[in-house]
């Protein structure tokens, strides 16, 4: 009887340990943009608002996290990724309406305002995804940035 309980508890313990080993919450994004090795987050400005997840956007909420990145800067794969196709931020086209859906490290996420070199295939961490589009031409004076949004719209901040 004691032996059976011991075996049962061993299995339960193993199950608990393994659920945390596949948990993606330990993932950290590597540098996304040339010139910002520490993935500096966009703060707030009076004209356009804040870059944090959940920030107000009129009657909507900001469903991603903004990482500073200069117009034309190179955007890098933050870890080994698979490219899942085009993802755009706006219904009406403009100069920065491009981006990509990516997956890796158990996460699915999108990067907006990026012109990817390609939309399919795989990249290793640190390889070039593409370039930041001319954000200043659409939002003059904004701190230019990459918008990081999880495919399930959850908060990406814990990965930075
Ligand atoms: C992103 O790509 C994945 C994999 O193809 C797909 O399952 C998912 O629906 C896409 N998500 C969004 C929000 O486009
Ligand atoms: C080091 C650094 O901060 N580099 C760039 C980060 O992004 C901002 C905003 O686009 C640039 O102004 C910086 O040059
Ligand atoms: Zn954003």
């Amino acid at each position: 009887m004691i032996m059976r309980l011991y075996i049962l508890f061993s299995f339960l313990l193993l199950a608990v340990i393994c659920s945390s080993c596949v948990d993606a919450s330990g993932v950290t994004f590597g540098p996304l943009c040339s010139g910002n090795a520490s993935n500096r987050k966009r703060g707030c400005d009076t004209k356009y608002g804040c870059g944090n997840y959940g920030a107000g956007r009129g009657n909507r909420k900001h469903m991603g996290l903004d990482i500073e990145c200069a117009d034309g800067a190179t955007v890098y794969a933050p870890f080994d990724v698979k490219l899942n196709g085009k993802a755009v931020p706006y219904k009406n086209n403009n100069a920065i309406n491009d981006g990509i859906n990516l997956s890796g490290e158990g996460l699915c996420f999108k990067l907006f305002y990026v012109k990817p070199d390609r939309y399919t295939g795989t990249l290793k961490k640190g390889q070039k995804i593409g370039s930041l589009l001319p954000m200043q031409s659409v939002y003059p004076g904004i701190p230019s940035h990459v918008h990081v949004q999880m495919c399930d719209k959850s908060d990406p901040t814990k990965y930075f």
Side-chain angles (χ1 to χ4, degrees), residues 112-131:
F112 289 159
Y113 317 128
V114 178
K115 178 73 202 167
D117 291 350
R118 63 189 76 83
Y119 295 96
T120 56
T122 58
L123 292 174
K124 294 282 181 196
K125 177 177 181 171
Q127 285 188 310
K128 185 184 179 189
I129 293 174
S131 305

Side-chain angles (χ1 to χ4, degrees), residues 42 50-52 57 62-67 90 112-113 135 142 145-149:
R42 176 188 162 209
C50 302
N52 62 287
R57 290 287 186 279
H62 185 232
M63 299 310 282
L65 172 67
D66 295 340
I67 300 298
Y90 307 114
F112 289 159
Y113 317 128
M135 186 168 278
I142 202 170
H145 59 270
V146 184
H147 174 98
V148 182
Q149 183 168 305

Side-chain angles (χ1 to χ4, degrees), residues 1-39:
M1 186 59 188
I2 301 274
M3 192 62 188
R4 277 192 192 168
L5 275 176
Y6 180 76
I7 291 167
L8 185 68
F9 273 110
S10 304
F11 272 109
L12 281 173
L13 194 66
L14 207 68
V16 169
I17 291 168
C18 280
S19 67
S20 63
C21 61
V22 296
D23 185 356
S25 62
V27 176
T28 304
F29 275 59
L32 273 174
C33 183
S34 60
N36 271 314
S38 62
N39 279 336

Side-chain angles (χ1 to χ4, degrees), residues 42-45 47-51 57 66 68-71 90 96 113 132 134-145:
R42 176 188 162 209
C44 297
D45 60 88
K47 200 168 175 190
Y48 301 105
C50 302
R57 290 287 186 279
D66 295 340
E68 289 193 5
C69 188
D71 291 10
Y90 307 114
I96 58 172
Y113 317 128
L132 199 82
M135 186 168 278
Q136 295 302 315
S137 72
V138 178
Y139 301 115
I142 202 170
S144 287
H145 59 270

